[in-house]
């Protein structure tokens, strides 16, 4: 018997309420991640001095699983459009951090781009849109309500093993004539068949008290490439995979930031003056060689 997916058991967020995705991506992450899509000119990037503009795409953080592939690229390496309209320039100049806007302290900025392939998902646009909406909702639950997944046995022991049973009514025994299915019901049944999971989930939703604000990197742009399994996968499984992806991307980005900070420090160091005595000794030996008279061979 199926268990109830009770989202009300998750505690209300004390600070963050939602994720803001508007006006937080200053350029396109596709050229640095996929060099064949467009020419990449470091002079047109958001920050032309960023070390990431000289790195290859395979060096950037990435995480892959059966449901999706998540990549990340620094915002300084994003490519600005070649021809930028005045409206977009004004919007960019007036863009403020989320904490400076009205009710901004309750919203967390997240720069994310979805690349949903028809081949890996479905040719219907409604399915692809629902995949993106489902992943966005899962991100909201992770960040705003600390959602996490644990084995169902642990969750049942915590909640007393309550099951979700449908209420039986007197009218349930009445045999009714089946109604003719119209086009809309057929369409809904097709979507339901796509969403049905082949294997039931053995995970349950729980609340993780650990802070989640640090999981979303503010100076990076995420690129999400989901598969059809992310549409069929139960919500606890999807949340578990997304949490693992965010933690992996964060760990890789911290290593890269440390390397880039070291590169900037070494690039800004002044050239040290020559204080070694070896070059001077070499010059003196050269002068002695030049001052010697050449040896003349006498005929025998």
């Amino acid at each position: 018997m199926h268990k109830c997916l009770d989202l009300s058991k998750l505690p209300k967020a004390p600070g963050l309420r939602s994720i803001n995705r508007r006006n937080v991506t200053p350029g396109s992450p596709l050229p640095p991640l996929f060099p064949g899509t467009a020419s990449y000119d470091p002079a047109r990037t958001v920050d032309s001095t960023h070390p990431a503009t000289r790195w290859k795409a395979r060096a950037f953080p990435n995480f892959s699983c059966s449901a999706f592939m998540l990549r990340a690229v620094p915002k300084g390496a994003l490519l600005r459009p070649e021809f930028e309209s005045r409206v977009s320039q004004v919007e960019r100049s007036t863009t403020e951090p989320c904490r400076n806007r009205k009710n901004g302290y309750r919203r967390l900025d997240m720069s994310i781009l979805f690349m949903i392939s028809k081949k890996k998902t479905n040719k219907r646009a409604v399915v692809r849109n629902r995949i993106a909406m489902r992943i966005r909702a899962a991100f909201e639950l992770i960040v705003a309500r600390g959602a996490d997944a644990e084995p169902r046995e642990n969750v049942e022991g915590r909640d007393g093993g309550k099951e979700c049973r449908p209420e039986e009514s007197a009218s349930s025994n009445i045999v009714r004539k089946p109604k003719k299915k119209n086009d809309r019901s057929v369409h809904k049944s097709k979507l339901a068949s796509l969403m049905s999971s082949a294997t039931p989930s053995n995970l349950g939703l729980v609340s993780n008290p650990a802070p989640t604000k640090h999981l979303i990197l503010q100076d990076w742009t995420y690129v999400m490439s989901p598969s059809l399994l992310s549409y069929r996968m139960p919500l606890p499984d999807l949340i578990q995979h997304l949490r693992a992806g965010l933690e992996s991307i964060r760990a890789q980005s911290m290593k890269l930031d440390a390397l880039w900070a070291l590169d900037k420090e070494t690039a800004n160091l002044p050239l040290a003056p020559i204080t070694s005595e070896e070059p001077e000794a070499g010059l003196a030996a050269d002068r002695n060689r030049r001052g010697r008279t050449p040896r003349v061979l006498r005929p025998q």
Side-chain angles (χ1 to χ4, degrees):
M1 189 167 292
H2 297 288
K3 298 287 183 182
C4 289
L5 186 62
D6 194 0
L7 296 178
S8 63
K9 293 177 183 176
L10 297 177
K12 293 184 179 180
L16 296 174
R17 295 295 178 88
S18 61
I19 293 176
N20 174 54
R21 290 177 291 269
R22 292 186 177 183
N23 299 328
V24 290
T25 307
S28 173
L30 300 184
L33 287 177
F34 308 98
T37 55
S39 59
Y40 185 66
D41 185 9
R44 283 175 42 215
T45 55
V46 175
D47 183 9
S48 57
T49 61
H50 200 286
T53 57
R54 302 187 299 271
W55 285 52
K56 293 186 177 180
R58 63 174 177 268
F60 293 131
N62 62 83
F63 174 83
S64 61
C65 64
S66 57
F68 59 86
M69 183 168 186
L70 186 64
R71 302 179 181 89
V73 61
K75 288 185 179 180
L78 301 183
L79 189 68
R80 293 190 185 278
E82 189 173 358
F83 300 101
E84 205 167 5
S85 62
R86 181 172 176 80
V87 177
S88 60
Q89 292 177 2
V90 171
E91 286 179 356
R92 192 184 66 207
S93 62
T94 56
T95 300
E96 298 178 358
C98 191
R99 61 181 177 273
N100 296 337
R101 296 191 293 267
K102 185 179 179 181
N103 295 331
Y105 63 93
R106 294 189 176 185
R107 307 192 71 187
L108 183 66
D109 289 340
M110 183 180 186
S111 175
I112 185 169
L113 175 70
F114 284 87
M115 289 186 62
I116 305 178
S117 170
K118 290 183 181 179
K119 185 177 180 181
K120 292 183 179 180
T121 54
N122 196 276
K123 63 181 181 180
R124 297 186 183 91
V126 63
V127 175
R128 299 196 300 273
N129 291 337
R130 288 191 180 185
I131 289 174
M133 289 172 61
R134 198 162 189 259
I135 293 175
R136 290 191 196 105
F139 277 132
E140 296 264 357
L141 289 174
I142 292 172
V143 174
R145 305 188 69 175
D148 203 349
E150 282 187 4
R152 191 173 290 276
E153 293 79 14
N154 300 347
V155 180
E156 287 177 4
R158 217 176 283 170
D159 300 335
K162 294 181 181 179
E163 295 184 355
C164 181
R165 298 184 179 181
E167 294 181 359
E168 295 183 359
S169 59
S171 61
S172 60
N173 298 326
I174 300 174
V175 180
R176 295 182 180 179
K177 255 186 194 180
K179 293 182 179 180
K180 291 183 180 179
K181 293 184 179 179
N182 52 11
D183 296 338
R184 191 173 180 182
S185 61
V186 172
H187 180 65
K188 285 184 178 180
S189 64
K190 286 182 179 179
L191 291 180
S193 64
L194 282 174
M195 196 168 183
S196 61
S197 177
T199 57
S201 174
N202 59 347
L203 298 175
L205 274 183
V206 294
S207 175
N208 193 337
T212 55
K213 187 177 180 180
H214 65 281
L215 292 178
I216 306 296
L217 303 174
Q218 298 300 297
D219 296 332
W220 291 72
T221 295
Y222 297 91
V223 178
M224 170 65 73
S225 303
S227 65
L228 189 60
L229 187 60
S230 61
Y231 187 68
R232 295 174 172 174
M233 182 178 287
L235 186 60
D237 296 54
L238 181 61
I239 285 177
Q240 188 184 50
H241 284 83
L242 289 176
R243 260 189 173 270
L246 291 176
E247 290 172 358
S248 175
I249 293 289
R250 181 175 178 271
Q252 297 176 52
S253 67
M254 289 176 66
K255 293 180 181 178
L256 286 178
D257 286 337
L259 285 176
W260 292 335
L262 188 61
D263 289 345
K264 286 183 179 180
E265 289 178 3
T266 53
N268 295 333
L269 287 177
L271 295 175
I274 299 175
T275 56
S276 177
E277 297 181 357
E278 293 181 0
E280 295 180 0
L283 290 173
D286 192 17
R287 290 195 202 99
N288 294 337
R289 267 189 257 107
R290 289 179 183 177
R292 290 177 186 172
T293 56
R295 185 179 178 184
V296 179
L297 297 176
R298 296 178 181 179
Q300 295 180 355

